[in-house]
Amino acid sequence: PSIDVVFTLRESLKPNKNYIFYCQSCGDIVVKDRKFLRVLPLPSENWSDLVEEWCCHPNPFARSTLHPQHGDCFVGDTFFLLNSRNEPHVPESPKSKENTRVICKRCKTMLGETVSSDTVKYYVTEVIIQPAEQSFNLTPRSQFVQSMVAQCLLELSSAKSTFRFTIKGDNGKTYILIWLLNSDTLLVESLGSSSSHNDFTLFGDILTPSSGPVGTWNAVKVLYQPCIQCRNKELADAWECDMGVHPLKFPSETCLELLLILGLSTTSLPPSLRCMNSFQV
């Protein structure tokens, strides 16, 4: 995209700089002027399952948890952990799963969830982080979701040689199976007069009148299978037990948004290019 909305949190968040966290959906300030003393990457969510393979004695980490202290930011695959420090929008003492949800005060979008009494998890698809000195520009929702999910797929496939992913909701359900084919696809689309301005295009809501007669975009090409309403349950169960498949967790509403984005992208392709074996493209 001409506007670079994809960034690597590990590279963008620097210690001793002031950052503001915005709700991606409405632009409301979520965390104001937070300065981090440490920005540290977290291991994969299933790291503890592998400890038995690494250690010849009982798991030494069984009773310890990775929770950020004051001034820490821990970065995961699809989220980051902050010390909540009595922030007003964070539930103080969660008593049930529903009470752990961190909600935007203005638009009521789910931004993350509380992990403990002093730790909150924000999902990368729900917040925009910018240095305090920069002005905030709201990015169209579907463009942002596509970009952040694509970035997650690229980073994990590069770092772990993992190309199959399960997209899970915060409710524990699997929504989509994704198989990354390649990351060097170049898309070209004519932006000339259309019979209907309401037709969905391959690039969703990122088209603007100033884009010129032809638009080109870098893209990732994926195969996917929907898993809602018990579809593809046998395949999903098989992937669940496969160590070569990496789980990615997002808010359930965002998983449905992503499934809609994928479906609309598929229908914009010529019919002969929409399927590969039993997967959609």
Side-chain angles (χ1 to χ4, degrees), residues 9-19 21 34-42 65-76 80-83 85 118-119 129:
L9 287 174
R10 290 177 178 84
E11 297 174 354
S12 298
L13 289 174
K14 304 293 184 184
N16 298 313
K17 283 190 68 176
N18 284 338
Y19 291 95
F21 292 49
R34 177 67 68 89
K35 180 184 290 187
F36 300 114
L37 301 178
R38 301 189 302 173
V39 180
L40 302 173
L42 285 169
T65 54
L66 298 174
H67 287 173
Q69 303 302 310
H70 175 66
D72 289 347
C73 178
F74 291 174
V75 184
F80 41 89
L81 298 180
L82 302 182
N83 192 287
R85 204 174 62 175
D118 60 354
T119 303
I129 309 170

Side-chain angles (χ1 to χ4, degrees), residues 189-207 264-265 267-268:
E189 184 177 56
S190 171
L191 306 182
S193 59
S194 171
S195 59
S196 171
H197 292 292
N198 294 325
D199 288 346
F200 177 82
T201 70
L202 196 56
F203 312 111
D205 51 18
I206 65 174
L207 294 179
L264 290 172
S265 178
T267 57
S268 72

Side-chain angles (χ1 to χ4, degrees), residues 215-229:
T216 59
W217 286 263
N218 293 319
V220 295
K221 181 183 285 188
V222 301
L223 306 180
Y224 70 96
Q225 290 272 27
C227 294
I228 57 174
Q229 297 175 337

Side-chain angles (χ1 to χ4, degrees), residues 126-150:
E126 310 309 316
V127 297
I128 292 179
I129 309 170
Q130 288 190 338
E133 63 271 13
Q134 287 187 10
S135 59
F136 173 73
N137 292 315
L138 194 63
T139 304
R141 176 67 182 163
S142 68
Q143 178 189 356
F144 188 80
V145 171
Q146 290 179 73
S147 298
M148 295 311 298
V149 173

